[in-house]
Amino acid sequence: MSTERDLSVEEQKRKGLRVAFAVSIGFTFAVYAGAIVPFLGPLFAAQFLLGSSRPMPLGKTIGAAMVILIAGTAMMVLTNVLGDRPAPFLLMLGLIYFACFAAQSTGKGGPAVFLVLVVSIIVPLLGILNEELANSILSILVAGVLSGTVLMWLAHAVFPEPFFREVEAAPIDQRPLALGRALANTVILLGSVVICLTSDNLTAAAVIPITVASLLGQLDVAASARAAIGLVLVNLFGGVLASIAYAALSLRPNLLSIFLIVFVVVLLIGGRAAARSKDAPVFAGALTTFLILFGLGVSPLPGSAAESFATRIVYVAAALIYALLFAAILWPRTGETKRISA
């Protein structure tokens, strides 16, 4: 038992180092290259690395990248065709979100499902709220997928998994299809997207819906109201860390500072997200929050500098409370949901 625990701890350390290395390298290079959405590639890389202790096989890597690119292309076409017709546009978005949440409810699909969900949120919102970005969305997405894939392989090359022992694959958490919960999640996420589209605030649009989608995926681990509130606090912690990191960066704004700050913060959060525990998805959500907020702080995205970090954290808090409140109201009343809302 002690040997198995030691091996598990070593595996967690390697995975945490991979995530911190890949995200900090990718984030720093994206800022250097002037990427409009510098957190996208590192976010993809983190999801790929947290999904497994082994690098994805080439075929599976290409498959996941193709799924994300196809989803991005489809969303761009959908936005161009139906963007000025709200009713059918929102209906199609709802169907896509429902398919993603239904796949997540079974415990299958891995990080690819969440990434497709992120793409299905970012592409329509950027395409409608900012005409300058509408024509470059696909190139932003391609760069994010390619850089995330390269970062994943680079991290495994620098911190390889030992070959002298067999690593037992973690059992896939297979669950029955929960269509009622998937439908409720779709309504909750679609509501946040509508709010952002009507408010015409690009920063809120980049923060709120992804935070909502992330929390809805984490709520499966919450067995009580206290645990659900803990989810909110941990995700807010990611936003607070982003604010502190940006304040530290303002003292010495250069690429080395960006690398060191991101490496330390992601090592702190990513190390917990890499553990084989029920809390891991929660810290993965906090990592997502940190990357989005800190990325917006250093991004040349039009209008992103106009919002203070305090305002962005308010956006995160509002998104978390909104998702938690409506999940308690709309989720089907199973035994687990009753404990969450109790």
Side-chain angles (χ1 to χ4, degrees), residues 51-332:
S52 174
S53 294
R54 297 286 185 182
M56 286 195 298
L58 183 59
K60 191 174 181 179
T61 302
I62 295 174
M66 289 302 298
V67 167
I68 295 170
L69 291 178
I70 291 171
T73 304
M75 293 308 303
M76 188 176 66
V77 172
L78 180 66
T79 303
N80 291 334
V81 174
L82 298 177
D84 56 350
R85 300 162 61 189
F89 181 61
L90 292 175
L91 177 61
M92 291 301 298
L93 283 183
L95 290 174
I96 294 168
Y97 296 160
F98 177 75
C100 291
F101 283 123
Q104 278 187 335
S105 72
T106 65
K108 298 179 182 178
V113 176
F114 177 72
L115 294 179
V116 169
L117 195 57
V118 169
V119 169
S120 301
I121 293 169
I122 289 179
V123 173
L125 288 173
L126 291 185
I128 290 177
L129 295 179
N130 194 292
E131 295 182 359
E132 296 177 7
L133 295 177
N135 297 325
S136 59
I137 291 176
L138 189 58
S139 62
I140 293 172
L141 189 59
V142 170
V145 172
L146 292 178
S147 62
T149 303
V150 170
L151 288 169
M152 176 195 69
W153 284 98
L154 179 61
H156 276 285
V158 175
F159 301 101
E161 198 71 17
F163 292 100
F164 57 83
R165 65 180 181 89
E166 290 290 332
V167 179
E168 294 184 5
I172 298 175
D173 182 19
Q174 296 188 7
R175 302 183 294 270
L177 188 64
L179 294 180
R181 181 175 295 187
L183 181 60
N185 287 349
T186 299
V187 172
I188 296 169
L189 177 58
L190 199 59
S192 69
V193 170
V194 171
I195 291 171
C196 291
L197 287 175
T198 54
S199 66
D200 197 24
N201 186 317
L202 195 60
T203 304
V207 173
I208 292 176
I210 297 179
T211 303
V212 170
S214 177
L215 184 67
L216 290 173
Q218 298 170 47
L219 280 174
D220 279 340
V221 306
S224 65
R226 180 178 296 179
I229 293 173
L231 294 180
V232 173
L233 294 178
V234 172
N235 280 271
L236 273 179
F237 177 63
V240 172
L241 279 180
S243 180
I244 296 173
Y246 189 77
L249 179 63
S250 64
L251 298 177
R252 191 177 292 274
N254 55 53
L255 293 176
L256 179 60
S257 296
I258 291 177
F259 174 82
L260 293 175
I261 290 170
V262 173
F263 183 84
V264 171
V265 174
V266 176
L267 191 61
L268 173 65
I269 306 177
R272 299 292 299 272
R276 292 189 181 185
S277 68
K278 290 185 177 181
D279 294 335
V282 180
F283 286 93
L287 177 59
T288 298
T289 301
F290 168 78
L291 289 176
I292 293 174
L293 291 187
F294 190 65
L296 287 173
V298 299
S299 168
L301 193 67
S304 63
E307 302 282 357
S308 68
F309 257 92
T311 302
R312 293 171 190 161
I313 293 177
V314 169
Y315 290 155
V316 172
L320 295 171
I321 295 171
Y322 163 85
L324 187 60
L325 176 63
F326 279 92
I329 295 172
L330 297 178
W331 272 17

